[in-house]
Each structure stands twice: as C-alpha cells, then as structure tokens.
Amino acid sequence: MTERRNRAVEEALAERLQLQGGRMTFADYMELCLYLPEAGYYQRNEPKLGKNGDFYTSAHIGSFMGGCIAASLDAAARRLAPDGGDVAIVEWGGGDGRLAEAVLSELRDVYPDTYARIRFLGAEGSPYHRALQRERLRGHEDKIEGIVEPGDDLVERALRDSATLIFANELLDAFPVRRLVRARGEWMELYVEGDPEEGALRETPGPILDERLAAWLAAHPVRGKEGQIIEVGLAGLEWLSALGRKLRRGFVLLADYGDVSAELYAPHRMAGTLLAYRKHAVDEAWFRAPGEQDLTAHVNFEWCAAVASEAGFGEVGVTTQKSFLVERGILRKLRDHDGTDPFSSEARANRAIRQLLLSDGMSELFKVMTMWKGVEAESSEEAD
C-alpha cells in the first residue's frame, strides 16, 4: 500500500531548508509539520482524535476527566470571585470540543450556581477544530463568548480584565521541541537536513546557535551520557511565561504527559521521548511522513513549575492524573450493576474509570499542573 504524502508540507520544508542553507532546527521542522496553514497535521480538515483519528485523549474515555476538571473550576471560581461575579473560562487547544462539552455539562448539572455566571472561550488555532467545537457546544450556546484563535482580542481581554479559569489537555506536548545530543562531553543541537521530497531527511549534530536555548541550558544544566538525546520544550516554556505575564487574576490547569528532569533525562532514555502517532500506532520514525502524523515529546514539569513561579504564578502544584481524579471523587462515580451485561451503561462507565486510573500507565505518566495568579496565599480547597 502506497503511503500518503503531504506535498504541501514537503514543499514548505524544502523551501525552508533552501533559505536556511540546507538545515533547520528540529523545532522548525516540527512547527511546519504540525502547523503549516491548511496543510500541517493539526491544520488539516481531517479527524485526529478518537476512533477515526490517530490517537485518543482522556476526553475520549467517557466524561469523567471533564467532570473532575469542572470540580476544580468550580472551586477556583468560588475562590476568585466569592461575591458571585462573572468569570471567564478559556480552554486552550481544545481540539474537537469533547472535553469542553464534558466540563460545561458537569458545571451545568452539578455546579449550577457557577455555570450561571460563566462565559466560555475556546482558544484554538485550527479552523477545522474551531468548527467542530462550535457544533459540539451548541447545547451551551448561550454561554459561548467565542471560539477563536489564541491571539484573538477576546482571549487577550479575558486574560487582562477578568477573573479567568484556563484549562488545557495535551497542549504543552504539542509545542515544537529542540533536540540535543551529548557529544564529547557537551550538548549539541540536532538539525534536520536532506531532501523532504525524496524522503531523505536526517538529523545531524551542530553547535547551539540560539542564545535563548544556550541561556536556558546554562541556567538549567542537564547531565547526560555520551550519545544521549534529549528534548527541550523551549516554545512551551515561553508560552507559559507569556501566559503568566498576561493573566491578571486567575487559575490554570494543564494536563499532559511528562515528568521531572531526573526521569526524562535518565540514562535509560538514551533516545529521548519524541514519538510519532498515526492510526493509533506509535512510531519513532518521525521523518517518515511529514505532516501526516502527530509529533509529541514528554513535558518537563519541573521546568514548567520553575517558569510558572518566575512568571508570577503562585501555589504551583504538579500531581499525577490518578491522584487528581481520586481527590476529585472519581471513585464515587463507580456504579453498582449485576455484572450480567458488559455493555450496560454502568459497566461501560466503570471500565472508563478503570482505564483512566490504571491502563497503560497513563495515570502515572499523565500529570496535572495547577497554578494561581492574583490571589492571596490560602487554602485553595479542591482546585489545586
């Protein structure tokens, strides 16, 4: 079977390579593959999530993750606006809108006082996904202020002028990463070279030329073994820093795959954490089909917490998805049933909960990071 090719992405890569003297950083390569307008993986008008896509997220395993996020947002709303004033909720990078639907439905059904005073914004870069979100969230139409691009003025005003609650699922791992290799006792950057239209791309080490990357490594040194490859999610860290500067008063919840430096850069991770996802299969051949597969690397939550604190966030916390879900009462969602019908709604709900808590190590690999801005230091109830 002939593998489908993304000619627009291949041509854009070839043009960029020619302009940059025959090589580009891996971050530039990843940016074009994922975000080239109309043609990049996240920009194409095709399903990426769920059965007909390339991967599942926790939002596709029932509505329970959304329900637990809603519990955190309710507690945050009561803390940030105890007088019952309006609050804005922003989902960043919401994809097909499934998670937002679960969150808003839980707020409506379980936390009606909070639901009554919210307005919702979807900050989504893909026109295709914005259209999906508008369709999926029709049941909450009176609460939707806009489904817009992340830089839209509606989002900027919410960050600046409102008590704002922000949540995102698998956002940080979608930012382009820099790839480095340890060679002769120092870190070198891996650059992409070759001919994308001939399927002949490769990585070649070279000196670190970006002052921002060099400064980050100087301030956050990483020890590594000879030949070890690591990723540095500089773009995601810069987004988090910018969010801290813009947000005046609010609460942020970010869920993603990741860990601390000691685990991410341990000797057993000689090849790093970068993976490609396509048709629910995991592959390390990230040059095989530019623009036709998802590219993702684990998030360094230790670095994210440091950046968040520097950006003015307080009460920064990181926990596992399992702990987050259990602390927000997911076990109370388990339902009694007679066990005779494995396809009953009760049996399906229980399987979904078990999958979120136990399967494939997701509950431990997946982390939930929370942080506050513009509030007095105090107990944050359920939300942190």
Side-chain angles (χ1 to χ4, degrees):
M1 179 172 146
T2 303
E3 187 168 54
R4 191 174 77 168
R5 297 175 62 178
N6 191 320
R7 300 289 185 179
V9 169
E10 290 176 357
E11 290 171 6
L13 290 169
E15 182 179 355
R16 179 70 65 87
L17 284 166
Q18 184 177 24
L19 289 172
Q20 296 184 183
R23 72 177 186 180
M24 67 175 74
T25 66
F26 186 85
D28 286 343
Y29 170 82
M30 188 170 172
E31 175 79 25
L32 285 173
C33 287
L34 297 182
Y35 299 106
L36 181 70
E38 299 183 7
Y41 178 78
Y42 289 134
Q43 302 296 312
R44 298 197 327 258
N45 294 341
E46 296 178 10
K48 292 91 179 171
L49 307 169
K51 181 179 179 181
N52 296 321
D54 297 303
F55 56 93
Y56 289 98
T57 71
S58 57
H60 291 79
I61 307 173
S63 62
F64 299 106
M65 184 67 172
C68 290
I69 291 174
S72 286
L73 298 183
D74 170 70
R78 288 185 282 111
R79 180 180 180 187
L80 288 162
D83 59 354
D86 292 346
V87 295
I89 294 180
V90 179
E91 183 187 27
W92 220 287
D96 61 9
R98 191 179 297 263
L99 182 59
E101 181 184 33
V103 168
L104 292 173
S105 296
E106 184 83 356
L107 288 172
R108 179 194 61 205
D109 298 341
V110 181
Y111 309 101
D113 291 343
T114 294
Y115 185 77
R117 60 192 179 112
I118 66 167
R119 66 184 194 278
F120 177 84
L121 280 163
E124 170 58 57
S126 163
Y128 174 68
H129 285 147
R130 289 198 296 271
L132 292 180
Q133 287 184 36
R134 292 186 188 104
E135 179 65 27
R136 186 176 289 277
L137 298 179
R138 279 188 174 184
H140 302 278
E141 199 165 16
D142 59 333
K143 291 296 176 182
I144 308 300
E145 184 173 14
I147 309 294
V148 297
E149 294 187 22
D152 188 273
D153 191 54
L154 285 175
V155 177
E156 296 295 314
R157 286 206 305 266
L159 299 179
R160 183 181 65 242
D161 300 336
S162 307
T164 302
L165 318 178
I166 299 168
F167 70 96
N169 185 51
E170 297 196 41
L171 171 71
L172 290 172
D173 73 346
F175 281 97
V177 297
R178 314 297 284 266
R179 278 170 57 81
L180 309 177
V181 63
R182 193 75 171 175
R184 295 183 294 280
E186 64 179 11
W187 290 109
M188 302 187 74
E189 183 153 17
L190 286 170
Y191 294 89
V192 178
E193 298 181 344
D195 188 342
E197 295 175 299
E198 294 295 328
L201 291 170
R202 61 187 179 276
E203 286 182 302
T204 303
I208 295 174
L209 302 176
D210 188 324
E211 293 182 0
R212 297 169 306 159
L213 179 57
W216 180 265
L217 289 173
H220 304 84
V222 177
R223 298 180 63 183
K225 297 182 68 175
E226 184 72 12
Q228 185 170 5
I229 294 173
I230 66 170
E231 294 90 22
V232 177
L234 200 60
L237 295 169
E238 290 173 341
W239 172 83
L240 187 56
S241 180
L243 181 66
R245 293 193 302 271
K246 293 178 180 180
L247 181 63
R248 183 181 65 84
R249 179 176 172 79
F251 169 74
V252 181
L253 184 155
L254 305 173
D256 225 315
Y257 281 102
D259 221 308
V260 297
S261 296
E263 170 59 28
L264 295 177
Y265 310 135
H268 69 272
R269 290 193 180 275
M270 289 296 291
T273 66
L274 183 74
L275 291 172
Y277 288 85
R278 192 176 187 191
K279 300 302 179 187
H280 301 285
V282 182
D283 199 343
E284 293 183 1
W286 37 87
F287 293 145
R288 177 173 295 162
E292 292 294 308
Q293 56 188 355
D294 188 24
L295 300 172
T296 179
H298 285 14
V299 176
N300 188 322
F301 279 104
E302 180 181 335
W303 288 356
C304 286
V307 166
S309 297
E310 292 169 3
F313 286 107
E315 301 176 44
V316 180
V318 180
T319 189
T320 64
Q321 175 178 282
K322 180 178 181 180
S323 295
F324 171 78
L325 294 171
V326 170
E327 288 170 8
R328 279 144 193 85
I330 195 173
L331 295 178
R332 294 195 295 272
K333 303 281 189 178
L334 290 168
R335 304 177 188 178
D336 292 330
H337 63 96
D338 59 17
T340 60
D341 181 5
F343 301 106
S344 69
S345 60
E346 294 84 0
R348 289 198 304 269
N350 291 350
R351 282 198 300 273
I353 291 171
R354 285 195 297 270
Q355 189 173 355
L356 284 171
L357 293 176
L358 301 174
S359 71
D360 298 323
M362 175 187 276
S363 62
E364 298 299 325
L365 286 174
F366 224 75
K367 305 298 189 299
V368 177
M369 179 176 174
T370 56
M371 62 203 91
W372 296 84
K373 188 75 181 291
V375 294
E376 296 295 330
E378 63 182 53
S379 171
S380 54
E381 303 176 43
E382 297 177 34
D384 49 59

